Amino acid sequence: MREYAEFTLSESDDGGVPTLALKGPLRVYSLGDLDARLAALDGHFQRIDLSGVTDIDTTGAWLVANYAREHGLETTGESEQARRLFAAIGSLGEQEAAPEPRPSLLIRTLGDVGDVVIGWGHGFVKSVSFLGEMISAMFTALRHPSRLRGTALVHHMQYVGINSLWIIGLMSFLIGIVIAQQGAVQLEQFGAEIYTINLTGRLSMRELGILMTSIMVAGRSGSAFAAQIGTMKLTEEVDAMRTIGVSPMEALVVPRVLASMIMMPLLGFYSAVLSIIGGAFISNFALDIPFWTFLQRTQEVVPITDVWIGIIKAPVFALIVALLGCYQGMQVTSNAEEVGTRTTQAVVTAIFTVIVLDAFFAIFFTEIGWK
């Protein structure tokens, strides 16, 4: 039969010290409601006698030490095992250190902004280093054409270019319709609806064609680059390539970057043409401007410099999109969740960088007289 812990009280009238005597095993399975019964005591005693305790564990030692601390009692008759447990428990009367006061909202905000800026700085340095490695690998492939993976290059050209023709074409056609329709509404106030052709043609060739194409490629191909390489990092395929003497930069990054830089100018021009066709389509119905007249007039009002501007910007935007996708994929180290995070970062950073660079290009080309 299981033995439970008990206690007795002895309050002597001959000058002895009032004592609470504990008996039996003070173990977790034998304590029962001992803590509740001790809390209900009203007697005035000065010490706890543990000489009758047959066994004790950490739970029993904590119960005795806590009760003694709360009532200011001393313990006597404890065994060597009990002394070790009391020493291990330590002083339960010490108060927890007061938490440090939180900085003000302004300080916390500035600290968070500082951490973000520092993170951006480190990321920028790593990106530049990655760009240097990619350029070195690209020149190596150009000096030794046999090291250029032609099959992978053609595959990625198809993925970046051919497979995205329908979505880029549809998007550009609809954007051309929106530009022409909204531009005509505003120009109608001045009786200048004919200039809708100038607006649609120049805006498509100079800015929106390549810009919207870059955004679509970033969302479609840049994210795929990050996810593919990130998954290969998780499955240790990249490490295996290094082990057998294959450069991941030459095998994975260079074909993707070259394919993007080759296909982006073609996609940008294709997008601009489809946008102009969309404008001509809606103008044929909304502005009574014949379809072929719109296209013929576009050739007259759009200068060749607008075409060159789009072609010049395309490889730069392609480099940014592909490089960031591959870079973020290479940064994956831990788990599948990081693959998703890095893919998101690749798309967001690429789109942001492309838009910022497009603004600088617009100012630059205006300053050199390509207006």
Side-chain angles (χ1 to χ4, degrees):
M1 186 174 181
R2 179 176 297 178
E3 183 182 2
Y4 289 93
E6 297 292 342
F7 64 87
T8 60
L9 297 175
S10 62
E11 297 184 2
S12 59
D13 297 330
D14 56 356
V17 179
T19 302
L20 170 65
L22 295 173
K23 301 177 181 180
L26 293 180
R27 299 187 67 85
V28 64
Y29 61 81
S30 61
L31 293 177
D33 61 345
L34 180 63
D35 55 341
R37 289 187 290 150
L38 290 178
L41 291 177
D42 294 329
H44 300 284
F45 38 87
Q46 299 178 10
R47 66 185 180 185
I48 301 177
D49 183 12
L50 299 177
S51 58
V53 174
T54 59
D55 196 6
I56 189 170
D57 63 3
T58 305
T59 305
W62 182 88
L63 177 63
V64 173
N66 189 50
Y67 188 80
R69 177 183 60 83
E70 290 180 352
H71 295 82
L73 307 177
E74 63 174 341
T75 58
T76 60
E78 63 268 21
S79 63
E80 183 62 27
Q81 180 185 9
R83 291 192 188 96
R84 289 198 302 268
L85 289 174
F86 289 151
I89 292 173
S91 177
L92 298 176
E94 295 182 359
Q95 297 294 328
E96 293 184 0
E100 296 183 2
R102 293 186 65 189
S104 64
L105 178 61
L106 176 61
I107 298 300
R108 297 200 307 272
T109 302
L110 292 177
D112 292 341
V113 172
D115 292 340
V116 171
V117 172
I118 292 174
W120 284 350
H122 291 164
F124 177 75
V125 172
K126 292 181 179 179
S127 300
V128 173
S129 175
F130 189 81
L131 173 62
E133 294 179 22
M134 190 274 297
I135 293 176
S136 176
M138 190 173 294
F139 276 112
T140 300
L142 293 178
R143 289 197 306 268
H144 306 282
S146 60
R147 301 179 63 170
L148 181 62
R149 299 175 177 268
T151 303
L153 177 63
V154 173
H155 168 74
H156 291 300
M157 287 175 62
Q158 177 184 352
Y159 181 78
V160 174
I162 305 301
N163 292 354
S164 61
L165 285 177
W166 71 272
I167 184 62
I168 291 178
L170 177 61
M171 176 200 68
S172 302
F173 183 80
L174 296 177
I175 288 178
I177 290 177
V178 172
I179 294 174
Q181 195 274 332
Q182 292 297 316
V185 170
Q186 300 302 318
L187 292 173
E188 187 180 9
Q189 304 176 36
F190 309 99
E193 298 95 328
I194 190 63
Y195 290 106
T196 302
I197 302 175
N198 302 55
L199 175 66
T200 305
R202 299 205 61 183
L203 193 58
S204 298
M205 279 292 179
R206 190 183 183 100
E207 297 292 341
L208 284 185
I210 186 59
L211 181 61
M212 297 307 298
T213 300
S214 301
I215 293 174
M216 288 298 298
V217 171
R220 185 179 180 277
S221 302
S223 60
F225 294 165
Q228 291 165 0
I229 297 178
T231 303
M232 294 180 69
K233 284 275 289 183
L234 282 185
T235 56
E236 299 183 353
E237 293 179 62
V238 175
D239 295 333
M241 293 174 66
R242 292 193 178 99
T243 302
I244 64 176
V246 176
S247 170
M249 193 66 64
E250 294 181 10
L252 301 178
V253 178
V254 171
R256 287 171 168 82
V257 173
L258 281 180
S260 300
M261 295 180 68
I262 292 172
M263 298 306 297
M264 187 72 83
L266 302 177
L267 289 175
F269 184 79
Y270 167 76
S271 173
V273 170
L274 265 292
S275 180
I276 293 173
I277 292 175
F281 175 80
I282 191 65
S283 297
N284 187 59
F285 300 100
L287 303 178
D288 293 330
I289 300 176
F291 182 85
W292 296 109
T293 301
F294 189 104
L295 297 182
Q296 182 180 4
R297 178 65 178 167
T298 299
Q299 299 178 36
E300 300 172 0
V301 300
V302 176
I304 192 63
T305 53
D306 286 356
V307 179
W308 284 115
I309 287 174
I311 294 177
I312 291 172
K313 291 192 294 186
V316 180
F317 292 170
L319 175 64
I320 295 297
V321 169
L323 187 71
L324 285 174
C326 297
Y327 166 75
Q328 294 293 347
M330 285 292 190
Q331 301 308 303
V332 174
T333 57
S334 57
N335 50 42
E337 182 179 359
E338 190 178 4
V339 175
T341 302
R342 290 292 182 177
T343 301
T344 302
Q345 290 181 356
V347 175
V348 173
T349 307
I351 292 175
F352 174 79
T353 307
V354 163
I355 293 175
V356 171
L357 284 179
D358 188 67
F360 281 108
F361 272 124
I363 297 173
F364 171 76
F365 286 123
T366 301
E367 289 296 325
I368 65 174
W370 287 11
K371 299 180 181 179

